[in-house]
Amino acid sequence: MAGLLIVISGPSGAGKGTIYNSILERMPEIVTSISVTTRHPRKTETDGVEYFFRTEEEFSKMIANDELLEYARVFDHHYGTPKKHVMDVVESGRTIMLEIDVKGAEQIKRKFPSCVGIFVMPPSFEVLERRLRGRATDSEESIVKRLSEAKGELSTYKLFDYIVFNDNLHDAIDQTVSIIKAERNKICRNETKIKQLLK
């Protein structure tokens, strides 16, 4: 069976992280993508486990050598998705999944068009705002900025293959699991196995 790259995205507050973590609990065979970053590792972090830790110079070389599916600068450090790690998993016939912001998902879709993009959509903009404020972890300035960005991010849904409306978390998780299972069973991903059976 051909491997699969699942990209879960959506605006901040839509619930993509919660859905992502729940799927990993239900489907432990799915491989998680490990990001590369230029920030220093914390005492509890190990290179190649939480992140691949690289210097700014090493990161710049990765960009120049087209070794990243996507990358962005977040505050004072760079973060990105290493292409080799993802391709190794897909080429081995396994499924790899990552949860990422909309800009990163757009970059991946351009470089890896066959990836399966799942856009997590809040039931309404009012619910999105309520969720962001309910976190009680962001400043008012940060919330206003996230809400402003969310309006633009919501309009990118057409770039994705599926939309999951997260008005009921349990249902949203079930729908996402069903999408992954359906993608695994597509004929195009099982040609080799079918040909062996028909010999």
Side-chain angles (χ1 to χ4, degrees):
M1 183 173 69
L4 195 59
L5 169 58
I6 304 288
V7 177
I8 295 182
S9 190
S12 181
K16 60 184 181 293
T18 303
I19 292 171
Y20 172 85
N21 290 324
S22 298
I23 290 169
L24 291 177
E25 288 179 9
R26 287 200 196 183
M27 308 174 81
E29 75 280 5
I30 292 179
V31 179
T32 56
S33 174
I34 303 173
S35 297
V36 58
T37 181
T38 58
R39 75 163 173 79
H40 294 296
R42 299 185 179 104
K43 289 181 180 179
T44 57
E45 294 175 328
T46 304
D47 184 52
V49 179
E50 287 83 10
Y51 289 95
F52 295 111
F53 295 98
R54 299 294 182 265
T55 64
E56 285 288 349
E57 184 180 355
E58 289 171 332
F59 198 96
S60 295
K61 286 181 180 178
M62 292 182 77
I63 295 173
N65 295 331
D66 193 29
E67 295 176 27
L68 298 171
L69 282 177
E70 61 81 32
Y71 64 90
R73 188 169 184 84
V74 181
F75 299 112
D76 297 326
H77 303 289
H78 278 102
Y79 292 82
T81 302
K83 186 188 292 185
K84 186 179 186 306
H85 174 63
V86 172
M87 296 307 297
D88 285 348
V89 173
V90 172
E91 288 170 7
S92 71
R94 292 175 292 167
T95 298
I96 186 167
M97 180 173 68
L98 58 104
E99 176 246 323
I100 198 165
D101 64 30
V102 172
K103 289 180 181 178
E106 288 180 272
Q107 291 181 56
I108 292 174
K109 199 67 175 171
R110 284 197 299 269
K111 292 188 176 182
F112 200 128
S114 63
C115 75
V116 178
I118 302 173
F119 190 90
V120 180
M121 182 80 80
S124 69
F125 197 78
E126 290 73 24
V127 169
L128 185 70
E129 180 174 2
R130 193 160 63 243
R131 287 175 182 171
L132 284 173
R133 294 188 181 282
R135 289 177 175 179
T137 56
D138 297 312
S139 65
E140 180 64 21
E141 182 183 0
S142 177
I143 291 171
V144 170
K145 183 181 178 183
R146 287 178 185 271
L147 288 171
S148 177
E149 290 175 347
K151 288 184 178 179
E153 290 172 337
L154 288 170
S155 66
T156 66
Y157 71 92
K158 289 185 179 179
L159 298 171
F160 295 80
D161 304 289
Y162 298 92
I163 286 183
V164 171
F165 286 94
N166 186 17
D167 49 352
N168 179 288
L169 181 59
H170 181 76
D171 289 346
I173 294 167
D174 283 346
Q175 289 170 32
T176 307
V177 169
S178 296
I179 289 168
I180 295 171
K181 288 181 177 179
E183 283 290 334
R184 283 177 170 175
N185 285 296
K186 277 190 171 179
I187 290 174
C188 62
R189 299 191 196 281
N190 292 277
E191 288 284 6
T192 303
K193 190 174 181 179
I194 293 168
K195 287 175 181 177
Q196 288 174 344
L197 287 170
L198 295 177
K199 277 186 179 178

